[in-house]
Amino acid sequence: MNKQLNKLIVFAFFLVFLGACTTAEQTFIEVKSPSNNISVEFFLKSDGSPNYLVKYKDKLVIDTSALGFELKDQPALNDSFRIIRADKNSVNEQWELPWGEQRIVKNNYNEVVVKLKERKRKRTMSIYFKAYDDGIAFRYEIHEQKGVDSLIILNENTQFKLTEDPTCWWIPANWQSYEHLYNTTKFSEIDALSKKEGHGLGHSQIPYNAVHTPFTMRNADGLHLSFHEAALLNYASMTLKIDPKNLSMTSQLVGSERLGYAVKRALPFKTPWRSIQITEKAKDLIASNLILNLNEPNKLGDVSYFKPMKYVGIWWEMHVGKSSWDMASKKHGATTKNAKYYIDFAAKNNIKGLLVEGWNTGWEVWGREDREGVFDFVTPYPDYDIKEVVRYAKEKGIEIIMHHETSAAPRTYEKQLDTAYKFMQSLDIHSVKTGYVGKIIPKGEFHHGQWMINHYQKVFETAANYKIAVDVHEPIKETGLRRTYPNAISREALRGQEFNAWAADGGNPPEHISIIAFTTMLGGPIDFTPGVFKFKVSDKNQINTTLAQQLALYVVIYSPIQMACDLPENYEGKPAFQFIRDVGVDWEQTKVLDGEVGDFVCIARQERETKNWFLGCVTDEESRYITINFDFLEKGKKYEAIIYSDAKDSQWKENPTAINIEKMEITSDMEKRFELAEGGGLAISLMLKK
Ligand code: NOJ
Ligand code: CA
């Protein structure tokens, strides 16, 4: 339940009537964050165009930037306005996450809602501005118009004008995938069009230089800014079109080539929030709850049918080519016998879930053009006795995670949603991993357009009716919707571990996670699937981290489902596997201890149920010393620690599996220095002593 705890809402409404204001450019409407460090100012230029700017400690960080829309069948909504009122209000409350990287979330901000009216055409819209201590956000509300029931948006022209040329971490705004490696360049050097790698889908549909959000940058004085959106519902995803010369970017909505526009909405409606997280230290970007706070409270009520869990899967063996999804290949992975092998392994090792891919008919035509209507979500292959697998799993205390690969044919999936979920309900299965590999059918729609966003949302809502939680691969990015729909448990939205199994470029480089933690992960939970123990997967591919880093990923990456992705036989007899057995997945609190984007990150999390702590650090291709101050532990308590650190000779390429494992007692007054190898990591379990 999403209980509202200690709810302290201070409503302060100041109705500022500005009807008489004719020299509108002189009216600045300002809203400051509770600490006064961050402020947003809204004003109209002399042509009545709405603009805003943002300051951090009185220094301009977003310079005068335009707001507005380009519409179909109507003139643009971007000038000739006057301000007709401004309402202010403040909120200071806390609320509870049913599962998450922490239990209690503080939500403290000041807000102003500015209502605008066009001088001649008289169309009206409001802009909501919120100022938090860790950033700002705004959204538009388009009001009713006489004789018009819906509006077609060709593009949204929300500008973000920078005040300098920061260092940026970016991926190109491919309309159907986030599966790109991050680039680190100055803003003025962003050239997203030159980046062609990814799922082979290319991004020919973006003939301009644009990046995906969360988009993180660091100014010369060390201030961090991260641009994203929150509550992305019934709208198209926002990418950011880069104007390198003018150090400016503008929202570019993902379009529909089939329909010839980006968004169609009935009036009135509100857009998603456009957000900028602003923190001095990189680590505070991860600690920020801005995106979650911008979303509406839980609409589903009790979601206790979903329990955060670690899981294994008939999965990695397909990616490394040992078995296959389809049965015709003669090396079918999803057999009753194989499932029981994984179940036995999970039951012995404190792992609660088993994902089985390739269990259902249709995989023979996966990837083909004519794949619509082919996948079937209730018919198992003959060598997979799903009832027997579920029965056996239950006997051993293991839950099955269902798998629905839609092959990017969402209409086929929608037709079967109720049947598929009823089938799951009959088997008492409460979570599903979905997938959307390939170009969306119908042609002209993209993974991140309004049509697909509505599809993903329909899946979450229908699943909720059947008490089912959903982990989406090839998803739309997370924008904090897990607050409102807490059955939206995890998403891929990045180059996951699977790339390390087969990517032609050799997989994710050692710096990958030290960028992901400050970019993709700011949106929400990530299904990265950590835990490879057998590093050499083929002649061409090896995992580009050390073993200690694979362990650290269970803490650094947040997801309420965390896979132990390797094959049971690769874990057998390995002392380091004890960390995966022990590590939690649901957290009472999280402390981001240190980090720099693209270099390293160190996070400690306290398990909700046991109050034990787990710590994870990862570094990029550079080795480094990290000093951990254990003052986050409860004072006066003793913890039995197991420390998994890189060995003296560990190195991601030459010697990834070398690891030191050491037991010792740790208390909150201790400090210890550790060396992380190149591409290395550190993982520590800290169990409360009775
Ligand atoms: C891509 C997903 O990311 C991967 O996890 C899955 O195994 C395949 N699609 C098949 O559905
Ligand atoms: Ca680096």
Side-chain angles (χ1 to χ4, degrees), residues 225-257:
L225 305 175
S226 187
F227 298 80
H228 193 37
E229 56 184 317
L232 173 51
L233 280 170
N234 196 7
Y235 205 77
S237 176
M238 177 181 77
T239 70
L240 295 169
K241 191 166 158 182
I242 306 293
D243 177 353
K245 278 201 201 90
N246 294 307
L247 301 179
S248 171
M249 40 191 192
T250 311
S251 56
Q252 175 70 48
L253 300 179
V254 170
S256 163
E257 281 175 1

Side-chain angles (χ1 to χ4, degrees), residues 171-434:
I171 50 173
N174 185 335
W175 282 7
Q176 43 206 356
S177 176
Y178 305 99
E179 300 182 9
H180 291 267
L181 287 178
Y182 272 86
N183 300 274
T184 308
T185 69
K186 287 285 185 194
F187 185 88
S188 59
E189 287 158 4
I190 294 175
D191 174 17
L193 278 173
S194 67
K195 300 295 164 190
K196 294 268 186 239
E197 97 289 358
H199 248 347
L201 297 168
H203 50 102
S204 54
Q205 70 281 11
I206 47 161
Y208 42 78
N209 188 11
V211 301
H212 273 308
T213 74
F215 175 38
T216 301
M217 55 185 70
R218 183 179 61 220
N219 282 349
D221 63 359
L223 191 73
H224 293 80
L225 305 175
S226 187
F227 298 80
H228 193 37
E229 56 184 317
L232 173 51
L233 280 170
N234 196 7
Y235 205 77
S237 176
M238 177 181 77
T239 70
L240 295 169
K241 191 166 158 182
I242 306 293
D243 177 353
K245 278 201 201 90
N246 294 307
L247 301 179
S248 171
M249 40 191 192
T250 311
S251 56
Q252 175 70 48
L253 300 179
V254 170
S256 163
E257 281 175 1
R258 186 174 62 109
L259 302 169
Y261 57 76
V263 172
K264 184 171 182 183
R265 284 291 291 268
L267 290 169
F269 70 92
K270 289 177 183 155
T271 69
W273 292 95
R274 279 67 190 89
S275 62
I276 314 174
Q277 280 157 287
I278 307 171
T279 66
E280 286 185 13
K281 295 195 174 114
K283 65 173 187 157
D284 292 329
L285 285 177
I286 301 175
S288 162
N289 289 309
L290 185 90
I291 303 297
L292 273 177
N293 275 327
L294 288 166
N295 279 270
E296 299 289 319
N298 183 347
K299 282 197 175 145
L300 302 183
D302 180 20
V303 290
S304 59
Y305 51 83
F306 167 69
K307 302 247 177 330
M309 62 180 155
K310 289 173 280 189
Y311 70 104
V312 287
I314 301 186
W315 180 78
W316 187 244
E317 56 174 76
M318 283 105 158
H319 286 272
V320 297
K322 183 187 165 198
S323 71
S324 169
W325 285 271
D326 67 289
M327 220 180 128
S329 66
K330 305 272 182 266
K331 49 173 190 174
H332 188 212
T335 64
T336 310
K337 187 168 168 233
N338 201 20
K340 288 187 176 180
Y341 169 63
Y342 278 82
I343 290 166
D344 289 341
F345 175 77
K348 272 193 285 173
N349 290 292
N350 191 30
I351 288 172
K352 292 279 178 267
L354 169 67
L355 165 76
V356 182
E357 294 201 359
W359 68 275
N360 57 329
T361 59
W363 288 89
E364 286 73 18
V365 292
W366 185 36
R368 266 190 6 208
E369 280 302 311
D370 57 346
R371 62 199 190 274
E372 197 153 38
V374 171
F375 264 115
D376 174 309
F377 304 101
V378 292
T379 309
Y381 279 123
D383 57 351
Y384 184 68
D385 183 345
I386 193 164
K387 285 201 177 123
E388 172 56 13
V389 170
V390 169
R391 185 205 62 77
Y392 189 77
K394 200 163 250 172
E395 187 181 297
K396 302 265 171 165
I398 304 297
E399 281 180 37
I400 300 299
I401 300 173
M402 183 48 97
H403 185 236
H404 293 160
E405 171 56 65
T406 68
S407 67
R411 291 188 297 214
T412 303
Y413 191 38
E414 283 192 19
K415 272 192 207 138
Q416 296 183 57
L417 272 188
D418 285 289
T419 338
Y421 294 161
K422 268 185 205 141
F423 179 59
M424 285 175 61
Q425 206 176 37
S426 75
L427 295 165
D428 202 20
I429 296 178
H430 291 282
S431 56
V432 60
K433 168 180 168 180
T434 58

Side-chain angles (χ1 to χ4, degrees), residues 601-619:
V601 58
C602 243
I603 301 180
R605 304 191 195 266
Q606 185 185 35
E607 193 177 16
R608 275 196 197 185
E609 203 182 313
T610 61
K611 306 289 180 269
N612 294 329
W613 282 87
F614 296 87
L615 180 144
C617 301
V618 304
T619 178

Side-chain angles (χ1 to χ4, degrees), residues 86-150:
D87 299 340
K88 288 195 175 180
N89 120 62
S90 301
V91 168
N92 187 3
E93 61 172 1
Q94 41 186 11
W95 55 276
E96 196 172 322
L97 276 165
W99 45 264
E101 54 279 68
Q102 70 210 81
R103 200 162 55 84
I104 306 291
V105 179
K106 291 204 175 77
N107 184 23
N108 187 196
Y109 63 85
N110 295 320
E111 178 178 39
V112 64
V113 186
V114 186
K115 190 168 179 190
L116 305 170
K117 190 171 192 172
E118 285 178 312
R119 289 168 190 277
K120 287 207 185 103
R121 285 185 63 101
K122 309 289 181 206
R123 291 177 300 180
T124 59
M125 74 173 176
S126 293
I127 310 178
Y128 295 64
F129 290 94
K130 288 185 175 183
Y132 296 77
D133 288 334
D134 52 1
I136 66 105
F138 56 88
R139 79 180 334 170
Y140 304 87
E141 179 177 15
I142 315 288
H143 300 298
E144 268 133 355
Q145 291 176 15
K146 259 212 186 103
V148 181
D149 26 283
S150 58

